[in-house]
Structure formats: C-alpha cells, structure tokens
Amino acid sequence: ILASTLSLIVYWLIRDSRRVRNLSAKHIFITGCDTRLGNSLAKWLDKRGFCLIAACTTEKGSPELQSCSSLSLKTVNLNLADSNGIARAVVFVTKETAEKGFFGLVSNAKRTAPVARTDWLGIEDFHSVLDVSLLGLTKIILKLLVLLIKAEGAVVKHLISAKGLMTFTGGGYSLSKWGIEDFFDTLQIEMQHFGVKVSIVQHGFFKAGVVNSDIIKKYLRLWNRLTPEIRDSYGEKYFVE
C-alpha cells in the first residue's frame, strides 16, 4: 500500500510538472479548420483556454467556427495553393502574436482528389493535390519557423492519415503524405537545437462524410475524359467492377 501510494504521488508530481500553464498567453495556429479534425481540435483547444488562430479554406468556414467558439478565437482565410494568401496569413499570425512567437502549430489542411489509376491522370491532377498538401504546407511552415523558434518549448504537429505509410492507388494524395513524412522527420532533427518539438500524429481511418455516389461521379468524370485507347485497354467491365 505504501509503495502504491508513493508511486501515485510521484506520478502526480511528474504529471503536474509537465502541465502547460498560462494557457491564455499560449498562441496556437491550426490550418484546415473548416471541417473534421482541424475543426474539432480548434473547438477543443479553445474551450481549454488557449489563444487560437484558426485558418479556414472556405468562406463559410470562419463564421461557422466563430459562432460556436469564444471571442479569443481568431480566424484567417488560407488557401495553401495561393502564395499571396499564404503571405497574408503569415502577416496576420505575426501581428496577433505581437511578434513574440507562438506556442504551437498544427498543420492539417490537405486536398485528396483526384485519386485514381495513374494512367487516368494528368500532371495537372498531381499539381492540384501536391500544390496544397505538400508544397503549400511546406511554404507556410517555412515562413512560420522563425516565430516558433522565438517561443521557448514550441510544438509543431502534423495530422496525417495512415496513407503516409502505405499506397493504395495512384494520384498525388499518398505521394504528398510520403513527402510530408520526410519533411517533418527532417524538421524534427533540425529544430531540436531550438527546443522546438516536432511530431506527426498518424490517425487511423474514420468516416469522412463522403458518400459512395460522390466517389462514383468523380471516377466517372475521369473515365469519360480518357482516350479511347486507354478505355479499351481496361474495358467497360473493369470500370463497372
């Protein structure tokens, strides 16, 4: 009983020593807050008192998030495929944090479509995904690193699906995940010098709210734009199955 009691006391002391304090002075910037993981995380951290800056891609994303959050939560529109939009977001974040840096960065924004057989796609299909999920994300993180270095003990996390560890079909989605894996592994090593903690949160699969009819329509559009030679090589039966 004595040993158990002492162990519990030691556990409490260690846990309390690692607890983040003065949350209202801790700025956290999250990308991809329109829906799903980014949206839920922004609401969760806001309720716990952090000073949140939430980046939304769509016009309706910001007002919807602000309507169910505290007044301390700030939003900014961010399209990672737009260099000017990235520059405006960086200026906004710098101004909000009073150039003192911020405590945490959570990158979540991504683009998935189109996903299909490789020879069904053109280079523009790869650009549409990689320009957002890999290059755009890399660009804004590079511009924000100086603010993270200013904040002692800052944390950088990227939410990435298990597709960063496996490939299931052609297109830029899995390719972008593999690229981000390498980018964050490199950051993890290099940012240790400044006390910035970098990690990847690899979540599993979950219901994404995409119905089968939407997926079929996307495949149908890709199929219809193929040349007769490619369609003949697969055959109508292949497409239907």
Side-chain angles (χ1 to χ4, degrees), residues 30 32-35 39 42-43 53-70 73-78 92:
I30 309 177
C33 293
D34 298 85
T35 58
N39 186 272
K43 293 175 181 176
I53 304 173
C56 297
T57 305
T58 62
E59 290 292 334
K60 65 178 183 179
S62 294
E64 287 181 353
L65 181 58
Q66 287 176 323
S67 66
C68 54
S69 304
S70 70
L73 184 143
K74 307 292 184 181
T75 60
V76 59
N77 290 332
L78 175 62
F92 181 83

Side-chain angles (χ1 to χ4, degrees), residues 56-224:
C56 297
T57 305
T58 62
E59 290 292 334
K60 65 178 183 179
S62 294
E64 287 181 353
L65 181 58
Q66 287 176 323
S67 66
C68 54
S69 304
S70 70
L71 295 176
S72 64
L73 184 143
K74 307 292 184 181
T75 60
V76 59
N77 290 332
L78 175 62
N79 179 4
L80 290 176
D82 179 16
S83 296
N84 292 329
I86 291 176
R88 288 192 294 270
V90 170
V91 170
F92 181 83
V93 172
T94 304
K95 181 180 178 180
E96 287 295 321
T97 58
E99 297 187 355
K100 296 179 181 178
F102 56 98
F103 176 72
L105 166 64
V106 181
S107 59
N108 175 56
K110 54 185 172 291
R111 181 174 291 171
T112 59
V115 176
R117 300 293 177 179
T118 301
D119 56 348
W120 294 17
L121 304 170
I123 191 62
E124 67 279 359
D125 297 316
F126 284 85
H127 272 297
S128 68
V129 178
L130 295 176
D131 286 350
V132 172
S133 299
L134 179 58
L135 299 178
L137 188 59
T138 300
K139 186 181 296 184
I140 193 166
I141 290 176
L142 290 176
K143 291 181 177 294
L144 292 175
L145 280 179
V146 63
L147 296 178
L148 288 163
I149 290 172
K150 286 181 179 179
E152 184 179 354
V155 178
V156 182
K157 292 188 182 294
H158 180 65
L159 305 180
I160 186 170
S161 73
K163 296 183 185 71
L165 300 174
M166 66 184 75
T167 300
F168 69 100
T169 189
Y173 185 62
S174 291
L175 187 61
S176 69
K177 298 307 173 190
W178 285 77
I180 285 295
E181 285 271 356
D182 180 74
F183 178 65
F184 270 79
D185 285 346
T186 303
L187 279 183
Q188 189 176 57
I189 297 170
E190 296 175 345
M191 290 295 106
Q192 286 179 350
H193 175 74
F194 302 103
V196 178
K197 303 174 182 65
V198 180
S199 60
I200 293 175
V201 179
Q202 293 168 328
H203 60 77
F205 297 98
F206 57 92
K207 188 175 182 180
V210 179
V211 296
N212 289 334
S213 60
D214 294 334
I215 298 174
I216 293 172
K217 289 177 182 177
K218 291 176 182 178
Y219 269 96
L220 185 60
R221 284 196 295 268
L222 291 172
W223 176 259
N224 288 334

